[in-house]
Amino acid sequence: MKKLMLGNAAVAQGAYEAGVHLVSSYPGTPSTEITECMATYPQEEVFVEWAPNEKVAAEVAVGASIAGGRAMTCCKHVGLNVMADALFTNSYTGVGGGMVYCVADDPGMHSSQNEQDSRHYARAAKIPMLEPADSLECRDFTKAAFDLSEEFDTPILVRLSTRVSHSQSLVELGEREVHPVKEYQKNIAKYVMMPANAIKRHVVVEERTAKVEALAGDCSFNTVEDNGSDIGVISAGIAYQYAKEALGDKVNYLKLGLVWPLSKKLLKEFAAKCKTVYVIEELDPFIEDACRAMGIDVKGKELFSMLGEYTPSMIKKVVLGEDAAEFVPLEESIPGRPPVMCAGCPHRGTFYVLNKLGVTVSGDIGCYTLGAVAPLAAVDTTICMGASVSAAHGMAKVQGKEFASKLVSVIGDSTFMHSGITGLVDIVYNKGINTILILDNSITGMTGHQDNPTTGKTIRGEATRQVDLIKLCQGIGVERITVADPFDVKNFEKVVKTELATDEPSVIIAQRPCALLKNVKYSGNCVITEKCRKCKLCMKLGCPAISIDKASGAVRIDVTQCNGCGLCIGVCPFGAIEKEEA
Amino acid sequence: MSTKNIMIVGVGGQGTLLASRILGNAVIRKGYDVKVSEVHGMSQRGGSVVTYVKFGDAVHSPIIDKGEADIILAFECLEAYRALPWLKVGGKMIVNNQMINPMPVITGAAEYPADILPKLGAVVDLTAVEALTLAREAGNAKAVNVVLIGVMAKNTEIPYEEWVETIKTTVPPKFLEVNLKAFDLGYNL
């Protein structure tokens, strides 16, 4: 039966059909659904988990592979940075059962803090990389990756991009292959990477790469489509789909499915038959640089951008010189619609207070990054997961006590579990005096509600032990820990002021669940009464339900947007906002 | 058949994703090749959301370029206006008449453009729909998406029964009755 499947779901299906035994990941757009879909397969067949971060996830999968099972770990591009420590040495150890790292890049940065090109990791860690171009290939390549992994004794990288991960196309479903977990075999020379062993394993890695390169010259992942043209196009992944739509059968194609290592023989033979060869790839000139190093004359980034996503019309213009379709242009500039915190978001109370106090906010990765958007505009920095805590320590150490008394870190519950803990250890150990706000909304929010070690539930929704944030911080050595509700803005402000004034590390746990959680039930909606003096203080909340009527200057609440959370009621100094029950 | 391009635009949280899935599943019942491109993650948080549905004999790119959408289904007026350059010259727009202020309008940094529907009506084949009213009539304000799918369904060659079957397999059982009613209200407009 053919089924319309998300690329991510098809990766999960491919791993399932390949008989995968264990999948461990940390959520990250655009990769999250792979692991969520994995958890829909029977738990007798595959163990699936959310790990606290990508490094842990990768190590869990590597362990499963060494122990003889087929294992996979999935992440977004920046998650691969966190995994990298395991990745580079796993390349040396090779595998027991098949081992697959699936990484999803985000050209155009739909939901990311940078636009890095993960293909560089394949070359740097010397790990073969497959790149599917649609959902069917997601299934096929992932499935094949496990066999390749065992055949060549190497982990395999599968690279996706947002438009492959989050596009649905047709997939013919297959049956699960039976691959029993192999018997565990102790092998010190292969799995203990101390210098004497690693020196020998590096030799194996180089020999292996030569073998995979030979495979690249003649395998079903790389296909040539000869349309008898003078023009050749070398492409891979989603860029191939754009090229194919733009250029049809007017050019010849070399579609690469195995994007590292590349076969010199294959590339040279293809290029020799064409007068002009274009390399069409989003982000960095990865294939282009390899072609040039092989002495193949190609056209690439001098004509195409290194920034963002490509489109078929942009390719058509460059290669064929044809203009894009005619369209009706907009005759006025119109307001953008940036993402905002939802109505009822618990973070709104936190950032309202931080904005009011005018403190410096060391931010982190999650929904609360939106605290940087006007009118809250309360966040100063966002770098990577966990940096809110550790970067604030660095800020305080160079700027001194006075600065530190007006500096806070904000980090979500899941992000704190991911890599905030170690930063807090550093602060305590090195006599820091920072104030850390853990925004505990009872879920991993931005990626669409995944459970984490603080929620008390596994990926399959089963009850499990729950990390106690208070005890955890106590164990690290933090003596000042306060739990406060960010919707009780008066008390919350008092708590933040008190903790900023102390000369020791303190943690404030801002506790209120995400408004989108099913068990959170706000009712009715808020209304502005005649007591309103148009002071516009409520407008500082940046609530999507509250706006000002241009003509009358009156504040109004849109009942279709308001969920009755009541934050504005507590903020209004004149008691002019009331709750209207439905 | 040459590829047919349908673009669904709206505001994060309005249910555009479900609409694109219903459309995609209805199309495969007719045996076409199909690609549905979705948006997940940060941009979903109250931001502009765009999904593409493309079907035909062979579909390569999952995205739609400017000037290439046969139909644009818009869940909100400003988002319809923003999407105008993507419509094929002579294409059709189905627009929910709801207006949702984006944050720059709420903070007073920008103004919501005036008279969007008349402006669109002057340059494209426009069908304006009071989808929120119809969704409430069906029993749930959240069924706006299925009302709009109903309006659009009338503009395709896919028969009514196929749509009903698709909705039955795509939406959760407890919302089925409301959604079927919402679909009919849109279809029979």
Side-chain angles (χ1 to χ4, degrees):
Chain A
M1 187 196 79
K2 273 192 180 173
K3 198 178 165 194
L4 194 55
M5 274 184 126
L6 210 56
N8 282 346
V11 167
Q13 175 70 20
Y16 175 74
E17 288 181 21
V20 70
H21 302 105
L22 177 143
V23 178
S24 180
S25 310
Y26 182 82
T29 315
S31 73
T32 311
E33 299 82 7
I34 305 170
T35 308
E36 287 184 322
C37 289
M38 253 1 288
T40 62
Y41 297 102
Q43 54 188 340
E44 307 80 58
E45 292 181 318
V46 53
F47 174 80
V48 186
E49 67 171 26
W50 288 128
N53 67 33
E54 293 88 350
K55 181 175 187 288
V56 172
E59 290 157 352
V60 169
V62 169
S65 160
I66 289 173
R70 288 192 157 192
M72 180 166 77
T73 183
C74 311
C75 62
K76 67 183 292 173
H77 56 336
V78 287
L80 194 59
N81 303 337
V82 183
M83 283 185 184
D85 204 2
L87 184 82
F88 279 72
T89 303
N90 189 201
S91 173
Y92 278 34
T93 64
V95 305
M99 171 72 206
V100 175
Y101 293 81
C102 186
V103 55
D105 285 2
D106 190 16
M109 292 178 276
H110 295 271
S111 202
S112 302
Q113 65 269 43
N114 76 29
E115 206 171 15
Q116 74 186 44
D117 189 330
S118 294
R119 294 177 299 174
H120 297 295
Y121 272 103
R123 187 168 170 229
K126 301 170 195 277
I127 294 177
M129 176 179 265
L130 298 173
E131 183 169 6
D134 61 18
S135 297
L136 181 60
E137 287 188 354
C138 282
R139 196 280 307 270
D140 290 346
F141 286 15
T142 306
K143 195 171 179 177
F146 286 92
D147 291 334
L148 269 185
S149 171
E150 290 177 5
E151 185 185 342
F152 290 92
D153 192 12
T154 176
I156 302 288
L157 278 155
V158 174
R159 183 215 187 202
L160 312 173
S161 57
T162 300
R163 297 292 182 185
V164 171
S165 283
H166 287 166
S167 289
Q168 298 189 62
S169 57
L170 294 169
V171 180
E172 185 95 40
L173 303 189
E175 296 292 317
R176 179 170 167 94
E177 291 172 5
V178 181
H179 291 274
V181 175
K182 297 175 194 168
E183 198 178 328
Y184 172 66
Q185 285 178 338
K186 181 166 176 164
N187 187 341
I188 292 172
K190 184 166 167 6
Y191 294 126
V192 182
M193 283 304 94
M194 54 189 178
N197 293 339
I199 287 165
K200 290 178 193 140
R201 290 300 301 178
H202 190 184
V203 178
V204 176
V205 169
E206 298 304 331
E207 288 168 356
R208 175 182 80 202
T209 299
K211 283 181 201 158
V212 182
E213 193 181 316
L215 174 85
D218 183 21
C219 67
S220 60
F221 300 112
N222 299 333
T223 52
V224 173
E225 183 184 326
D226 188 347
N227 292 312
S229 172
D230 285 347
I231 305 170
V233 166
I234 302 172
S235 193
I238 197 66
Y240 164 78
Q241 302 287 12
Y242 298 152
K244 180 74 182 169
E245 176 152 319
L247 311 171
D249 55 9
K250 291 175 184 159
V251 302
N252 304 333
Y253 298 92
L254 170 55
K255 177 183 175 300
L256 297 171
L258 179 56
V259 293
W260 194 89
L262 294 168
S263 161
K264 191 171 178 176
K265 177 177 142 279
L266 180 69
L267 291 163
K268 282 209 151 181
E269 277 175 11
F270 177 77
K273 288 185 189 162
C274 309
K275 275 190 187 149
T276 314
V277 178
Y278 295 88
V279 176
I280 301 179
E281 54 188 330
E282 288 177 335
L283 302 180
D284 295 345
F286 184 78
I287 299 167
E288 179 187 340
D289 285 353
C291 288
R292 293 234 164 92
M294 293 170 186
I296 302 168
D297 183 27
V298 294
K299 293 182 188 299
K301 292 297 173 185
E302 72 273 30
L303 300 169
F304 293 101
S305 178
M306 295 219 223
L307 314 176
E309 297 186 286
Y310 287 7
T311 64
S313 61
M314 146 201 223
I315 294 168
K316 197 187 254 180
K317 178 78 185 165
V318 170
V319 178
L320 303 178
E322 292 176 14
D323 286 329
E326 271 185 65
F327 61 87
V328 184
L330 277 180
E331 290 187 345
E332 59 188 307
S333 72
I334 61 172
R337 191 184 296 275
V340 291
M341 286 178 201
C342 309
C345 178
H347 304 324
R348 182 168 285 109
T350 301
F351 287 112
Y352 171 76
V353 169
L354 297 179
N355 187 28
K356 188 179 171 195
L357 294 176
V359 293
T360 301
V361 177
S362 178
D364 223 299
I365 309 283
C367 287
Y368 44 89
T369 311
L370 294 170
V373 179
L376 291 164
V379 176
D380 288 67
T381 60
T382 299
I383 315 295
C384 61
M385 302 276 285
S388 61
V389 181
S390 14
H393 177 56
M395 285 176 168
K397 285 294 178 190
V398 298
Q399 281 284 351
K401 217 172 185 178
E402 178 63 23
F403 188 86
S405 71
K406 292 183 186 116
L407 167 68
V408 299
S409 302
V410 292
I411 184 165
D413 48 341
S414 181
T415 310
F416 184 69
M417 283 294 114
H418 180 284
S419 43
I421 300 169
T422 41
L424 187 58
V425 169
D426 190 37
I427 288 169
V428 172
Y429 170 49
N430 288 303
K431 302 181 179 181
I433 56 169
N434 297 72
T435 301
I436 313 299
L437 274 67
I438 301 175
L439 311 186
D440 181 9
N441 66 343
S442 312
I443 201 73
T444 313
M446 180 60 90
T447 43
H449 287 182
Q450 289 74 34
D451 281 291
N452 68 55
T454 69
T455 66
K457 277 189 188 152
T458 69
I459 191 171
R460 291 188 190 266
E462 292 163 349
T464 184
R465 290 181 192 214
Q466 192 172 1
V467 170
D468 184 327
L469 285 172
I470 297 173
K471 284 186 187 160
L472 175 66
C473 295
Q474 282 170 342
I476 287 170
V478 179
E479 288 179 5
R480 299 189 63 91
I481 302 165
T482 318
V483 178
D485 178 0
F487 272 22
D488 181 354
V489 286
K490 288 189 181 79
N491 179 58
F492 197 78
E493 183 180 337
K494 201 176 94 192
V495 169
V496 175
K497 277 181 173 167
T498 307
E499 295 312 313
L500 281 171
T502 63
D503 280 350
E504 59 178 302
S506 46
V507 168
I508 301 166
I509 301 173
Q511 213 162 49
R512 180 167 277 259
C514 172
L516 302 182
L517 282 171
K518 285 200 177 103
N519 58 353
V520 175
K521 299 217 185 296
Y522 295 116
S523 64
N525 56 271
C526 300
V527 288
I528 308 280
T529 66
E530 66 279 8
K531 286 189 233 163
C532 175
R533 300 200 198 168
K534 300 182 185 177
C535 75
K536 298 179 188 168
L537 197 61
C538 55
M539 291 299 297
K540 292 198 170 175
L541 289 169
C543 175
I546 310 176
S547 62
I548 293 196
D549 184 63
K550 277 266 170 194
S552 64
V555 180
R556 57 185 180 188
I557 293 178
D558 178 349
V559 293
T560 64
Q561 298 272 318
C562 176
N563 65 0
C565 79
L567 174 64
C568 54
I569 295 174
V571 165
C572 179
F574 305 109
I577 308 178
E578 287 173 10
K579 185 80 162 279
E580 194 175 68
E581 290 304 330
Chain B
M1 189 189 86
S2 65
T3 301
K4 187 129 175 147
N5 297 331
I6 299 177
M7 197 166 151
I8 302 177
V9 300
V11 177
Q14 279 193 303
T16 51
L17 215 58
L18 181 68
S20 66
R21 289 186 173 187
I22 291 172
L23 178 55
N25 281 318
V27 167
I28 53 169
R29 297 175 73 90
K30 294 289 285 179
Y32 294 124
D33 187 20
V34 61
K35 281 195 175 150
V36 180
S37 182
E38 307 178 347
V39 181
H40 300 214
M42 183 179 251
S43 47
Q44 267 185 298
R45 300 275 171 267
S48 299
V49 174
V50 179
T51 66
Y52 308 106
V53 180
K54 301 175 68 165
F55 56 99
D57 293 333
V59 181
H60 299 290
S61 160
I63 63 162
I64 297 172
D65 264 326
K66 279 185 181 170
E68 295 195 336
D70 295 282
I71 300 177
I72 292 178
L73 189 61
F75 284 45
E76 198 272 345
C77 292
L78 176 58
E79 296 314 307
Y81 201 29
R82 196 188 310 285
L84 175 63
W86 274 262
L87 192 69
K88 200 174 265 184
V89 173
K92 183 165 187 60
M93 253 198 189
I94 298 162
V95 183
N96 176 15
N97 70 351
Q98 247 179 299
M99 290 190 276
I100 300 173
N101 283 336
M103 199 45 73
V105 172
I106 289 174
T107 60
E111 283 197 40
Y112 197 98
D115 307 321
I116 289 177
L117 290 177
K119 284 176 192 162
L120 287 174
V123 288
V124 306
D125 174 5
L126 176 74
T127 305
V129 186
E130 288 194 29
L132 186 61
T133 311
L134 293 173
R136 286 193 175 129
E137 195 181 320
N140 191 335
K142 288 196 172 143
V144 161
N145 51 3
V146 183
V147 170
L148 290 166
I149 282 287
V151 180
M152 197 209 51
K154 208 55 185 279
N155 290 282
T156 67
E157 56 265 48
I158 299 166
Y160 174 83
E161 296 72 28
E162 298 277 348
W163 288 101
V164 170
E165 280 308 307
T166 307
I167 291 169
K168 282 182 184 167
T169 55
T170 315
V171 307
K174 67 172 173 173
F175 298 119
L176 185 60
E177 201 186 321
V178 168
N179 278 307
L180 286 176
K181 204 168 165 193
F183 179 82
D184 282 347
L185 286 170
Y187 195 84
N188 296 321
L189 202 67

